[in-house]
């Protein structure tokens, strides 16, 4: 196993950081690593906003579910799907690209580009000994956060990433078994037994891990998470920003 794969397999979400800020060189290295990710048709349909103002970070932390550690990490990155620059270029070229950028696929392209870039940044950060945590809660507060960040039309925050020096780390979570994720030649719906076995593994993990011990299993936890975060306002938000009209 090479060091890259070891870094990938040792990933954990960190939610306790020291107050040591990242240096400008570290930030530039991380963003440059993010930019090396693949991009659909080389659109580079994303933007990364680094939030350094302490008061602004605290406001975002409150809107993103009251996750205070967002304001405590070394740096906070907000990854946005972005075709705003493409629209401006099209106007300069006297071209109409509204059929594309107002469609659902443009949202997917921007979100995928942002996600690929973010995963590059995360792997780079972890290879440097830093801790990371994705913040999907940015979408819970997407309206207020977009106002705070002055987000224009055709731009949408997808998630945040906290990067910093860890105070503590949890044990690595056991993932779904290989056969639950990898299906050969066709989709396999018969994975109930695999999920039940995995629930026993996750039950043992949560009941014995260092720090907060919990009595839960993966399947119920995953479904409850979906129930807690319906985000029914997302379509209205995207449409209001020019996206997803078609």
């Amino acid at each position: 196993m090479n060091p890259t794969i070891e870094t990938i397999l040792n990933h954990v979400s960190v939610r306790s950081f020291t107050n040591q800020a990242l240096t400008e060189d570290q930030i530039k290295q991380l963003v440059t690593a993010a930019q090396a990710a693949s991009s659909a048709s080389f659109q580079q349909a994303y933007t990364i906003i680094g939030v350094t103002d302490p008061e602004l970070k605290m406001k975002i932390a409150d809107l993103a579910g009251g996750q205070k550690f967002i304001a405590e990490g070394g740096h906070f990155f907000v990854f946005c799907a972005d075709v705003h620059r493409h629209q401006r270029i099209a106007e300069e070229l006297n071209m109409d690209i509204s059929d594309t950028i107002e469609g659902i696929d443009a949202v997917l392209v921007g979100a995928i580009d942002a996600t690929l870039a973010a995963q590059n940044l995360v792997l780079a950060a972890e290879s440097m000994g830093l801790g990371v945590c994705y913040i999907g809660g940015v979408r819970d507060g997407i309206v207020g956060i977009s106002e705070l960040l002055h987000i224009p039309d055709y731009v949408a925050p997808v998630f945040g990433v906290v990067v910093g020096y860890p105070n503590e780390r949890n044990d690595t979570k056991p993932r779904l078994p290989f056969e639950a994720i990898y299906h050969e030649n066709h989709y396999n719906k018969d994975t109930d037994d695999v999920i039940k076995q995995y629930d026993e593994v996750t039950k043992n993990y949560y009941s014995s891990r260092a720090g907060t011990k919990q009595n839960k299993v993966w399947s119920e936890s995953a479904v409850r998470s979906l129930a807690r975060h319906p985000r029914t306002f997302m379509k209205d938000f995207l449409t209001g920003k020019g996206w997803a009209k078609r």
Side-chain angles (χ1 to χ4, degrees), residues 27-37 46 116-117 120-121 123-125:
I27 294 167
K28 188 165 186 178
Q29 282 183 344
L30 293 175
V31 173
T32 301
Q35 288 186 266
Y46 68 97
L116 293 173
N120 262 25
L121 182 144
L123 290 175

Side-chain angles (χ1 to χ4, degrees), residues 55-185:
E55 184 177 347
L56 181 57
K57 277 202 291 187
M58 186 58 72
K59 289 179 180 178
I60 291 173
D62 288 340
L63 288 168
Q67 301 182 76
K68 301 300 182 185
F69 70 91
I70 291 173
E72 297 166 357
H75 203 74
F76 186 56
F77 301 90
V78 179
F79 282 78
C80 302
D82 181 2
V83 292
H84 175 76
R85 65 172 68 92
H86 303 77
Q87 171 62 9
R88 290 175 64 90
I89 294 168
E91 289 174 354
E92 291 179 5
L93 296 174
N94 198 28
M95 293 176 61
D96 182 4
I97 59 171
S98 58
D99 282 350
T100 299
I101 64 174
E102 292 179 0
I104 290 292
D105 193 59
V107 179
L108 293 174
V109 167
I112 292 167
D113 270 12
T115 303
L116 293 173
Q119 188 64 7
N120 262 25
L121 182 144
V122 162
L123 290 175
E126 291 181 324
S127 76
M128 296 160 62
L130 298 167
V132 301
C133 188
Y134 281 95
I135 307 296
V138 161
R139 295 193 305 283
D140 291 327
I142 195 168
V143 175
I145 289 171
S146 294
E147 292 173 356
L148 289 172
L149 298 179
H150 303 163
I151 298 294
D153 287 349
Y154 303 112
V155 180
V158 183
F159 47 75
V161 178
V162 184
V163 180
Y165 292 88
N167 259 332
E168 58 185 46
R169 294 178 185 266
N170 288 323
D171 297 330
T172 304
K173 288 181 181 177
R175 263 41 181 188
L176 279 163
F178 177 86
E179 57 268 28
I181 293 294
Y182 180 72
H183 304 179
E184 190 166 339
N185 296 325

Side-chain angles (χ1 to χ4, degrees), residues 175-245:
R175 263 41 181 188
L176 279 163
F178 177 86
E179 57 268 28
I181 293 294
Y182 180 72
H183 304 179
E184 190 166 339
N185 296 325
H186 63 271
Y187 190 92
N188 178 19
K189 294 185 290 185
D190 300 323
T191 59
D192 291 354
D193 288 343
V194 175
I195 298 301
K196 289 176 182 177
Q197 293 169 16
Y198 178 61
D199 274 347
E200 287 301 312
V201 173
T202 56
K203 181 178 180 179
N204 291 333
Y205 165 79
Y206 285 116
S207 64
S208 62
R209 73 174 178 177
T212 305
K213 293 177 172 57
Q214 297 173 288
N215 181 23
K216 68 177 184 179
V217 298
W218 174 80
S219 59
E220 184 177 352
S221 176
V223 172
R224 287 189 182 279
S225 177
L226 291 174
R228 283 197 308 272
H229 302 287
R231 295 174 181 140
T232 54
F233 51 82
M234 194 61 67
K235 176 66 166 63
D236 288 341
F237 170 82
L238 290 171
T239 302
K241 287 292 184 182
W243 304 79
K245 291 182 176 180

